[in-house]
């Protein structure tokens, strides 16, 4: 399966599962209230057949607006949130920039990309490191940020990964662009716990078969 298909397929599966869970909740709530499908349909301004198909799990897609209307008719409030999940699609520029840095790694180091975080006990983990450098019994998590449009959001996301899957070292690579340099200059407290590293020093460590130190490097 092509890499670009995975997020689409995963999103489809999770969406279908969510619609099925909603259908079960709608049906159970309607029964508990003693309402007919006709009554619910009238309140939600849809057809009885539509409600029947939703409750029967025959609808594979359901808009948030329609789902909220049906929930309200049944005395429920629909809540929709997003959480850190699978790795987002990366563009070719991201992949190429990351490849260029990792290509300098020499034995005993080995590098892999899109490596799932170690899953906490009892909870499946969908997030992944952009790359993981391994060797000598040590692990270095690597993240590459191409655009720091919302630096604080990026910092929170990265810190959650570091908390949930602590590695021996952590390397944050930031694309060396005028915009990213401006953001880092204007917000000196951003990624304040990561020492600034020179790209040449990171490459030198990899070429020597050593893990680069924890820090942030423009690449």
């Amino acid at each position: 399966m092509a890499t670009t298909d995975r997020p689409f397929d995963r999103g489809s599966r999770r969406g279908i599962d969510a619609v099925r869970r909603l259908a079960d909740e709608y049906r159970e709530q309607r029964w508990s209230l003693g309402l007919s499908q006709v009554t619910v349909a009238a309140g939600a301004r849809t057809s009885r057949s539509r409600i029947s198909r939703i409750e029967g799990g025959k609808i594979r897609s359901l808009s948030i607006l329609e789902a909220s209307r049906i929930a309200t008719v049944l005395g429920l409030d629909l809540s929709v949130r997003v959480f850190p999940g699978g790795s987002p699609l990366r563009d070719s520029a991201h992949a190429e920039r990351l490849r260029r840095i990792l290509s300098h790694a020499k034995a005993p180091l080995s590098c892999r990309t899109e490596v799932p975080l170690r899953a906490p006990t009892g909870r499946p983990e969908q997030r992944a490191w952009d790359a993981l450098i391994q060797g000598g019994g040590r692990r270095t998590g690597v993240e590459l940020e191409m655009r720091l449009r919302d630096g604080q959001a990026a910092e929170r996301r990265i810190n959650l990964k570091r908390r949930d899957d602590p590695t021996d070292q952590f390397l944050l690579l930031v694309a060396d662009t005028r915009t990213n340099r401006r953001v880092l200059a204007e917000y000196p407290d951003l990624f304040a716990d990561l020492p600034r590293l020179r790209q040449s020093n990171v490459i030198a460590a990899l070429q020597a078969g050593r893990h680069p130190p924890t820090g942030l490097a423009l690449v």
Side-chain angles (χ1 to χ4, degrees), residues 145-148 174-175 177-185:
E145 292 295 319
M146 295 294 288
R147 303 172 186 86
L148 291 177
V174 177
T177 65
R178 181 183 302 175
T179 299
N180 288 343
R181 283 183 175 273
R182 177 179 54 77
V183 170
L184 292 173

Side-chain angles (χ1 to χ4, degrees), residues 123-194:
R123 181 167 65 87
E125 181 57 75
Q126 293 182 316
R127 292 170 296 169
W129 293 112
D130 283 350
L132 190 68
I133 303 172
Q134 293 176 287
R138 302 178 68 81
R139 302 162 68 238
T140 296
V142 181
E143 290 288 293
L144 170 58
E145 292 295 319
M146 295 294 288
R147 303 172 186 86
L148 291 177
R149 287 199 179 98
D150 188 340
Q152 291 182 333
E155 186 174 38
R156 286 193 298 270
R157 171 171 48 78
I158 289 169
N159 284 342
L160 283 174
K161 284 188 177 184
R162 296 177 66 190
R163 181 199 68 184
D164 295 340
D165 183 15
T167 53
D168 300 289
Q169 276 108 255
F170 172 70
L171 181 62
L172 175 59
L173 304 175
V174 177
D176 190 359
T177 65
R178 181 183 302 175
T179 299
N180 288 343
R181 283 183 175 273
R182 177 179 54 77
V183 170
L184 292 173
E186 291 180 356
Y187 300 95
D189 291 337
L190 196 61
F191 305 111
D193 66 318
L194 297 176

